[in-house]
Amino acid sequence: MDTFPWEIALTVLGVVIPAVAGVYEFFFIGRRRLGYRIQMDTRAFGGEFAGARHPSLVLIRIENNGSVPVDVDDYMETDPVGLSVRFPRRRVVRAFDPARRGPSSPTNAVPELNRDPERAEPDVLRLPRVPLNRNEHYKVLVLLDELDPDAAPDRDGDASDAVMESRIKGGRVIRTRYRSGVSRGVVALITVMASLIVALYYVSGEDSAAVDCASGKLTVVGSTAFRPVVEKAAESYLRACAGVPGEVEIDVRATGSQEGVRALDEAGRRAGEEGPAMLAFSDGPKSEGHPQLLPRPVSFSLLTLVVSEDAGVQDLTPAQIRRVYAGRYRNWKDVGGNDLPIALVGRYSSSGSRRALEERLLDGATEPNVTSQDCRRRVARPDNPTLRCERGSTSEVLDTVAAVPGALGYAEAHAAAAEADRLHLVRIGGHPAELDAADRGVYPFWATEYAYTYGQPAADSLTAGFLRYITQEVGQDVIREYGQRPCADLANPRLCRPS
């Protein structure tokens, strides 16, 4: 049975809730709205004043706090005036505009109210139908007389017992209060949204584990140049799958691209129908003779030549590189560098980086034979005048080039850049090892990183889960972190090469 798509549901709620709240606030309850605020309600001392024996003063603020203007026709037709404010146990003596505005004032229709004290509702203040634009307001100062001064409570602003008894068409009249903090509605909305984000985080983590994680042991073999990416992705995958029942183990053994391909093929032949719990990564396509291995392009990788600091060289043309490896140039002074013998530091024949060098830079020619074990002393080989040694991994090549005067080698560009304080990355034809230069076709030294499986692994297996992981969002971020480009970022992901 399919599980309920909580991640999708929570995402939809995260969009719908603020949208509904906004529509409800601005188009329903808040579209047409008048607010009134009692800014002052105090007893006046000093005796009788303007006909009030026990006077009190009230300052009322009327404001349009809706999203549309309020016109005279928006007041209720059943109300002979605009708004009615009742003051229990008090009678209205007079009301006037405290700002004393001119003829254009919103309250110029009632500069004062001094009605017959014998009227039917002496405790009601009636205000005219005043048109108000958005955020516009007016104030009315009301003189009242306490009907029972001994029972009158002490009032102050919001504590006033004044009540608005009017309505407006298609809206409402509400009592507002001054507040300096965030409203309760905003706090509630923020709380709901924060809760959704937290829930989405946990649900996403659970969903990811359910889709990508499986228990078991996986062995990853192959490219030493791609090893840092695989190790970092494996660490991230194990953290994401920490809650999965059963043990999850990923063993990374980088021994070279073609050696990894051969190891996967042999393990597959021994494993039978289910296939081995193994992945092989290779810098470039597999060699012939492995029909059961299925490739999947993973990354577009840059490679670079590296040279010791004392060689006095930082740029070589493709023609110069071919002559160096052909043995025609054996001293750095032959290409404008220092008077220092050239020592070539290569990789074993199983290396994908070596195959990329021979294909991209040497026009298909192979590297010279080994003539040295320590890359310093040459073994007598009359058929090969070049000084050349071999190393088994990217890190060993970089260490040797940095230690041997006049040494020249090659490595994955990101790993080489990390050692730039003790060796030089060689530009090729004036172009550094950069993805943009490779995309334009002006930087020639690159390789496509392939992941190989023996046949099609089961969808719920650890092999398939980790392969999905490293080729999707999180794994792609790891690939980018190491200066490479996921195949999904290229114009033709299936080819995974410059356009």
Side-chain angles (χ1 to χ4, degrees):
M1 179 185 296
D2 295 335
T3 58
F4 185 79
W6 286 108
E7 186 173 0
I8 297 176
L10 291 172
T11 302
V12 171
L13 285 176
V15 175
V16 170
I17 289 177
V20 170
V23 171
Y24 181 69
E25 173 68 20
F26 293 105
F27 292 96
F28 289 92
I29 66 170
R31 178 173 174 80
R32 182 170 287 108
R33 183 170 61 190
L34 287 180
Y36 72 98
R37 186 190 311 169
I38 309 300
Q39 294 186 308
M40 179 183 72
D41 189 347
T42 182
R43 298 175 66 180
F45 299 96
E48 183 176 347
F49 174 75
R53 290 180 297 175
H54 306 285
S56 59
L57 292 174
V58 176
L59 181 63
I60 305 175
R61 172 189 168 103
I62 309 296
E63 58 190 2
N64 181 353
N65 55 9
S67 59
V68 297
V70 173
D71 202 355
V72 292
D73 295 331
D74 294 323
Y75 293 88
M76 298 299 292
E77 296 175 355
T78 56
D79 198 333
V81 292
L83 301 173
S84 298
V85 185
R86 185 178 297 277
F87 300 93
R89 297 180 300 278
R90 289 185 282 182
R91 67 180 181 86
V92 177
V93 177
R94 182 172 298 179
F96 48 89
D97 181 359
R100 297 179 179 173
R101 303 174 185 176
S104 62
S105 167
T107 56
N108 64 351
V110 283
E112 65 177 51
L113 291 177
N114 189 7
R115 298 181 183 274
D116 182 356
E118 300 299 328
R119 63 188 185 277
E121 294 181 299
D123 59 346
V124 176
L125 170 67
R126 302 189 187 280
L127 299 173
R129 302 184 179 202
V130 179
L132 291 173
N133 294 321
R134 290 181 58 188
N135 300 322
E136 190 175 17
H137 73 277
Y138 66 90
K139 297 181 180 181
V140 177
L141 184 62
V142 188
L143 175 62
L144 302 169
D145 190 11
E146 299 283 356
L147 298 180
D148 186 1
D150 294 333
D154 292 331
R155 307 178 185 91
D156 184 14
D158 287 350
S160 173
D161 57 1
V163 178
M164 180 72 71
E165 297 183 338
S166 300
R167 296 181 298 158
I168 57 175
K169 299 176 183 176
R172 58 178 184 159
V173 181
I174 63 171
R175 182 165 184 167
T176 61
R177 289 176 172 81
Y178 172 78
R179 58 166 52 92
S180 58
V182 182
S183 67
R184 286 179 295 178
V186 173
V187 171
L189 182 59
I190 292 175
T191 302
V192 170
M193 296 304 298
S195 301
L196 285 175
I197 292 172
V198 173
L200 184 60
Y201 171 79
Y202 284 105
V203 169
S204 298
E206 293 173 0
D207 210 28
S208 175
V211 172
D212 293 320
C213 295
S215 60
K217 180 178 180 179
L218 173 66
T219 301
V220 182
V221 297
S223 169
T224 63
F226 201 63
R227 178 172 186 163
V229 176
V230 176
E231 290 179 334
K232 182 67 176 290
E235 293 175 3
S236 178
Y237 181 82
L238 292 174
R239 286 196 301 269
C241 298
V244 175
E247 184 179 0
V248 182
E249 182 179 348
I250 300 177
D251 183 17
V252 181
R253 304 175 184 174
T255 56
S257 296
Q258 295 307 312
E259 184 64 32
V261 168
R262 286 195 293 269
L264 174 62
D265 194 35
E266 293 174 1
R269 296 178 188 276
R270 296 193 303 267
E273 295 183 0
E274 293 185 359
M278 180 180 287
L279 278 173
F281 286 92
S282 173
D283 305 332
K286 64 183 179 181
S287 57
E288 296 181 359
H290 306 291
Q292 292 294 331
L293 303 192
L294 300 181
R296 179 165 183 172
V298 175
S299 170
F300 176 71
S301 305
L302 292 180
L303 301 168
T304 183
L305 294 174
V306 289
V307 66
S308 64
E309 293 182 313
D310 48 13
V313 173
Q314 296 189 35
D315 181 84
L316 293 172
T317 67
Q320 289 174 325
I321 295 170
R322 289 192 293 271
R323 292 188 181 102
V324 167
Y325 278 91
R328 295 175 59 184
Y329 294 157
R330 295 195 293 274
N331 193 296
W332 286 116
K333 68 180 181 180
D334 296 334
V335 293
N338 296 327
D339 186 4
L340 195 66
I342 298 174
L344 299 179
V345 183
R347 294 288 305 278
Y348 298 143
S349 60
S350 61
S351 166
S353 299
R354 173 173 172 171
R355 292 184 62 187
L357 172 81
E358 295 172 345
E359 179 182 350
R360 306 290 177 201
L361 297 182
L362 305 185
D363 286 346
T366 60
E367 285 196 71
N369 293 327
V370 174
T371 60
S372 175
Q373 297 300 320
D374 60 3
C375 299
R376 296 175 184 272
R377 293 178 295 275
R378 185 178 178 278
V379 178
R381 289 285 299 268
D383 61 322
N384 182 10
T386 304
L387 175 63
R388 179 178 176 273
C389 63
E390 289 183 345
R391 294 293 180 261
S393 68
T394 297
S395 60
E396 291 176 342
V397 168
L398 295 173
D399 290 340
T400 302
V401 171
V404 176
L408 172 69
Y410 49 89
E412 189 272 326
H414 186 271
E419 305 293 337
D421 59 334
R422 59 189 187 126
L423 47 74
H424 292 307
L425 278 66
V426 180
R427 292 173 178 251
I428 300 177
H431 300 286
E434 295 178 350
L435 290 170
D436 290 341
D439 281 343
R440 297 195 307 271
V442 296
Y443 185 80
F445 198 11
W446 52 268
T448 299
E449 192 72 35
Y450 290 90
Y452 285 95
T453 60
Y454 192 88
Q456 188 67 41
D460 58 352
S461 66
L462 181 56
T463 303
F466 182 68
L467 184 57
R468 283 194 300 268
Y469 188 83
I470 203 170
T471 55
Q472 293 178 358
E473 291 184 4
V474 178
Q476 289 177 4
D477 289 340
V478 175
I479 291 173
R480 296 186 188 98
E481 180 183 344
Y482 282 87
Q484 303 181 26
R485 180 170 293 172
C487 292
D489 291 353
L490 274 68
N492 192 330
R494 292 184 179 274
L495 291 179
C496 196
R497 58 188 302 157
S499 57

